[in-house]
Amino acid sequence: MNLSLLLLFVFSNISPPAPSPVSSITVNTPSELHASKGDAVTLSCTFISTSSPTSKMTVNWSYRPQSGGPPVSFFHFYSRAYPTTEGQFNGRIRWQGSPARGDASILLINATLNDNGTYACTVRNPPDVHGSTTSHTVLTVTPKAVRIRFSDVAVLLAFVLLPSAIITLVLLGQMLCPRKKRNQSKAYRSPIEVTEGIFIDLSFSALFQDPDEHDYYLQELKKRRTIDEGYAESGF
């Protein structure tokens, strides 16, 4: 066997090395978040890595204002949390992630209208060098709606309706139960009553021929009339 055949035999039995698996990572965040002013907002960020998280894993959060401009980094994680100590997010960021569970979320406390904008979560987990390492979330913060409690409505109705109800009851009472007006003038006597009185006088004159008896009964009749007139003037 010559040398050329020997070399051909040797190289034909040598296979090329298998390619090493490519490490990759995928980061996911919700595309949009909505909150009211003063709320605590969870900026969710999860990741899937082909390698288990190690002490070299890093998380970075940045913010781009709604009005535009360059992104500003305000949170960093490298074995422990490093929230910013300056700017609008100072003292308002809490770490809520768990690298072992593939969670890199943070909590934004006391959301304001100035927090409107785009938030980017970037996760790196060496040796992962490929994949989607950054994901974005658009946060919209709106003014808190005014809520009317039932107790407030009840107090308002009491102040408005109670006086109206009292006035209505008073007016109805005056309409249904008017005061009895006393007649200050002398009692009116009809012509029939006058005629009856004259007839009685004439009857007495005819019945009693004795002048003393006649005068006595006339005085008694006058007393009776005086009493009747007194009752009439008093309104009874």
Side-chain angles (χ1 to χ4, degrees):
M1 181 181 294
N2 56 25
L3 182 60
S4 60
L5 292 176
L6 179 61
L7 293 175
L8 180 62
F9 176 78
V10 171
F11 284 106
S12 63
N13 288 279
I14 298 176
S15 58
S20 59
V22 177
S23 298
S24 63
I25 188 171
T26 302
V27 180
N28 295 295
T29 60
S31 59
E32 293 182 356
L33 284 176
H34 296 271
S36 298
K37 182 180 178 181
D39 289 349
V41 186
T42 298
L43 300 175
S44 177
C45 178
T46 59
F47 64 92
I48 299 175
S49 177
T50 56
S51 300
S52 298
T54 65
S55 59
K56 296 181 180 181
M57 190 201 78
T58 62
V59 177
N60 187 75
W61 278 91
S62 62
Y63 162 74
R64 185 190 299 272
Q66 190 177 36
S67 57
V72 178
S73 179
F74 64 91
F75 179 86
H76 187 72
F77 179 88
Y78 182 68
S79 297
R80 60 181 294 266
Y82 294 92
T84 184
T85 57
E86 59 184 13
Q88 71 183 76
F89 298 106
N90 181 24
R92 299 170 53 214
I93 302 298
R94 300 288 185 272
W95 169 247
Q96 287 193 326
S98 175
R101 297 197 302 266
D103 191 353
S105 303
I106 59 174
L107 180 68
L108 173 62
I109 300 173
N110 192 22
T112 67
L113 300 181
N114 293 329
D115 296 334
N116 287 333
T118 302
Y119 293 77
C121 175
T122 302
V123 181
R124 293 184 174 88
N125 184 37
D128 290 355
V129 293
H130 298 285
S132 176
T133 60
T134 302
S135 186
H136 299 83
T137 295
V138 177
L139 175 63
T140 302
V141 181
T142 56
K144 187 178 290 293
V146 179
R147 297 180 180 179
I148 301 178
R149 298 175 299 179
F150 176 77
S151 58
D152 297 335
V153 176
V155 172
L156 181 61
L157 290 176
F159 276 107
V160 173
L161 297 181
L162 187 59
S164 301
I166 294 175
I167 294 174
T168 302
L169 291 176
V170 171
L171 293 177
L172 288 175
Q174 291 181 351
M175 293 174 61
L176 298 177
C177 302
R179 293 181 179 179
K180 187 175 182 180
K181 296 182 179 180
R182 295 184 177 181
N183 188 3
Q184 301 298 332
S185 62
K186 292 184 178 180
Y188 172 76
R189 298 181 65 188
S190 66
I192 297 176
E193 293 176 336
V194 176
T195 305
E196 289 179 351
I198 296 173
F199 177 77
I200 292 173
D201 290 343
L202 294 175
S203 299
F204 280 131
S205 299
L207 291 174
F208 302 101
Q209 299 296 329
D210 188 351
D212 294 334
E213 292 181 359
H214 181 267
D215 294 337
Y216 172 78
Y217 283 101
L218 285 178
Q219 291 178 3
E220 291 295 325
L221 183 60
K222 289 180 180 180
K223 290 180 181 180
R224 174 60 63 86
R225 289 178 179 175
T226 303
I227 294 174
D228 293 340
E229 289 177 357
Y231 278 108
E233 290 178 355
S234 63
F236 293 98

